[in-house]
Amino acid sequence: MRILLLGLHYAPEQSGNGPYTAGLAAALAARGHHVTVRTGYPHYPAWRITEGYAGRRMTEHLDGVTVERFRPHIPDPLDPLDRARMEASFGLASSLGRWHRPDVILCVSPALLATAVNVARARATPRRPAIGVWVQDLYGLGARETGTGGGRAARALGAIEARTLRSADGVAAIHQRMRDHMVRDLGVDGDRVRVIRNWTHLVPMELPPRSEARAELGWDPGEIIALHAGNMGAKQGLDNVIEAARAALRTAPRLRFVLLGDGNQRPRLEQLAEGMPNVTFVRPLPERGFRLAMAAADVLVLNELPGLSDMAVPSKLTSYFTTGRPVVAATDAASVTADEIRASAAGIQVDPTDPAALARAIVELATDARRASSLGKAGQEFCRRELSQEHAIDQYEGWLRDLVARRRPSHPDLTGPTAPHLRGAE
């Protein structure tokens, strides 16, 4: 198949959906498909262009994939309208010019507005390709649950999302509850929505034991380390973690919170934690350093803004579950995240409005070696059973092939590098 993948985020971004987009593209290319990616310049979650990426447009060849990059407008991440401008600028740039006749285009949301532009362009193309949309976050639901932009913005985003998804030939959702929302609330035909789980994208790597990892990082071997790794944005609600650290100053002096990563809330969180000796901020690390930090931790922390339920599945869970460390998730009991914690048996859920409960849960797990080990092993088993990359790629390859077959039912099956290509969009 000739596959055109359109998404704002891609490698070398290490957070969000970039690793999944890059992983899928590379895996499909390795299976003999002709894969082209149109993406942005790497900027997430720091909201600044990564060093070494200059100009307005460039082309790279990464892991057998042709990667065409367009420099998007980099917004004030706290301004929803400015972020919309970023998505629209990327959508316009990626939709212009020749698409070189793909058999299928796959649009990744986020970014929703860019996806809407590209789906509209594809549908207007004579003898158009099959159209798939891969949904990692639900925009309308997310705006409603986080309160971003008010009710009018949530309704507008929901309407754009519904129209875009209904215009595609097929939609991939990363969780059953996301599919249920699309069918029930957005009016998407259930036969067009397939659930394909995200996978763990961390490659196997030999890491030292916890004590050696801490020595290499310079972390105190006598402390309890609770690590939050990943984006520091609004939906993470990390004020709760800072308040848990504040509570721990009185009740658990050996507990240290390490916040590893970047995001639009980081400067404010650093200010909130100023003068607190048990909170450490660490800039994003390369892969080995990131893995080393998780190996050095006693407990891995996931925090979500109260009220979040179905908008997204935190990508950090697929990394956390590989580590053998237990997870404490401060999230609503009815959330998708809580469902994942229960399904994996890899951790415990606590009330996201009770920072003292978060601190207590961390200390209890860190001082109960048998339970911590049991939860950590359950997470690793869940990865092996449910989050295999090969299984996910098999499903995506089959789904894309089905989209092409439904669009061109008389065409031979496109299963390998020697199969004839469809004539699609210019």
Side-chain angles (χ1 to χ4, degrees):
M1 288 181 290
R2 295 181 64 87
I3 301 166
L4 175 60
L5 198 156
L6 301 161
L8 180 57
H9 302 286
Y10 201 76
E13 292 179 351
Q14 296 179 346
S15 298
N17 61 56
Y20 297 105
T21 306
L24 177 61
L28 290 173
R31 295 184 177 199
H33 302 290
H34 184 281
V35 183
T36 300
V37 170
R38 287 191 161 195
T39 188
Y41 280 34
H43 64 276
Y44 183 82
W47 298 102
R48 57 180 178 273
I49 299 295
T50 300
E51 187 176 351
Y53 288 84
R56 307 303 305 176
R57 179 173 178 170
M58 62 184 296
T59 299
E60 297 180 287
H61 298 279
L62 302 174
D63 299 320
V65 178
T66 299
V67 181
E68 301 174 1
R69 294 190 184 271
F70 303 86
R71 187 186 187 98
H73 166 70
I74 302 300
D76 173 355
L78 300 178
D79 184 340
L81 289 177
D82 207 25
R83 292 178 70 167
R85 180 184 170 196
M86 173 190 69
E87 292 198 9
S89 72
F90 172 70
L92 180 62
S94 59
S95 68
L96 295 176
R98 293 173 60 84
W99 277 358
H100 304 292
R101 298 182 175 180
D103 303 320
V104 58
I105 70 163
L106 176 59
C107 300
V108 185
S109 181
L112 172 62
L113 299 185
T115 293
V117 170
N118 281 302
V119 168
R121 184 256 162 105
R123 288 187 63 86
T125 302
R127 303 191 70 240
R128 70 167 177 85
I131 304 169
V133 178
W134 182 8
V135 178
Q136 295 277 351
D137 282 353
L138 291 165
Y139 270 58
L141 188 59
R144 189 172 77 222
E145 291 182 350
T146 62
T148 302
R152 183 176 297 178
R155 288 190 294 273
L157 286 170
I160 294 169
E161 194 164 41
R163 182 180 181 85
T164 301
L165 299 183
R166 291 198 299 260
S167 297
D169 297 306
V171 180
I174 62 172
H175 197 277
Q176 181 64 38
R177 282 175 56 172
M178 294 177 73
R179 179 193 181 278
D180 293 344
H181 172 76
M182 293 175 194
V183 175
R184 181 185 63 242
D185 300 323
L186 300 183
V188 183
D189 184 344
D191 291 339
R192 292 190 178 192
V193 187
R194 188 172 301 188
V195 177
I196 306 177
R197 299 292 304 270
N198 278 346
W199 60 92
T200 177
H201 56 81
L202 296 182
V203 298
M205 180 181 294
E206 288 293 328
L207 291 171
R210 180 184 291 134
S211 58
E212 294 178 24
R214 288 198 181 186
E216 189 170 337
L217 292 167
W219 293 359
D220 188 335
E223 290 184 322
I224 295 171
I225 299 293
L227 176 71
H228 177 279
N231 185 40
M232 302 180 197
K235 70 182 179 183
Q236 281 73 38
L238 292 173
D239 290 33
N240 186 59
V241 173
I242 303 302
E243 293 308 311
R246 201 180 305 279
L249 287 172
R250 301 184 301 274
T251 61
R254 290 177 52 236
L255 174 57
R256 173 175 297 279
F257 287 85
V258 177
L259 279 72
L260 166 61
D262 212 335
N264 60 39
Q265 296 295 310
R266 177 170 171 152
R268 191 183 62 78
L269 293 167
E270 288 176 322
Q271 187 175 28
L272 191 63
E274 189 172 355
M276 295 176 61
N278 62 344
V279 180
T280 300
F281 288 85
V282 179
R283 289 289 177 189
L285 296 171
E287 184 175 358
R288 186 179 185 280
F290 175 73
R291 298 284 291 277
L292 197 67
M294 291 199 292
D298 294 289
V299 174
L300 302 174
V301 176
L302 188 152
N303 200 93
E304 290 185 322
L305 197 69
L308 298 191
S309 61
D310 294 330
M311 65 171 286
V313 182
S315 59
K316 64 171 57 65
L317 279 180
T318 61
S319 300
Y320 279 8
F321 289 158
T322 67
T323 64
R325 299 289 185 263
V327 179
V328 174
T331 182
D332 283 355
S335 68
V336 170
T337 299
D339 279 356
E340 291 295 281
I341 294 297
R342 287 187 287 267
S344 65
I348 58 177
Q349 175 266 333
V350 298
D351 184 346
T353 67
D354 188 348
L358 174 59
R360 284 195 304 272
I362 292 167
V363 172
E364 289 171 6
L365 272 185
T367 54
D368 186 343
R370 179 175 296 180
R371 188 182 183 200
S373 176
S374 176
L375 294 173
K377 289 178 180 176
Q380 291 177 318
E381 175 57 31
F382 186 75
C383 270
R384 286 189 287 268
R385 186 176 69 249
E386 302 288 343
L387 304 179
S388 157
Q389 180 172 359
E390 184 175 2
H391 178 59
I393 301 303
D394 285 345
Q395 293 181 83
Y396 276 110
E397 184 180 36
W399 174 61
L400 292 172
R401 190 185 304 120
D402 289 346
L403 293 181
V404 173
R406 287 202 297 270
R407 186 69 191 157
R408 302 282 190 270
S410 63
H411 200 281
D413 187 22
L414 298 173
T415 58
T418 59
H421 295 307
L422 297 177
R423 293 179 61 84
E426 289 287 355

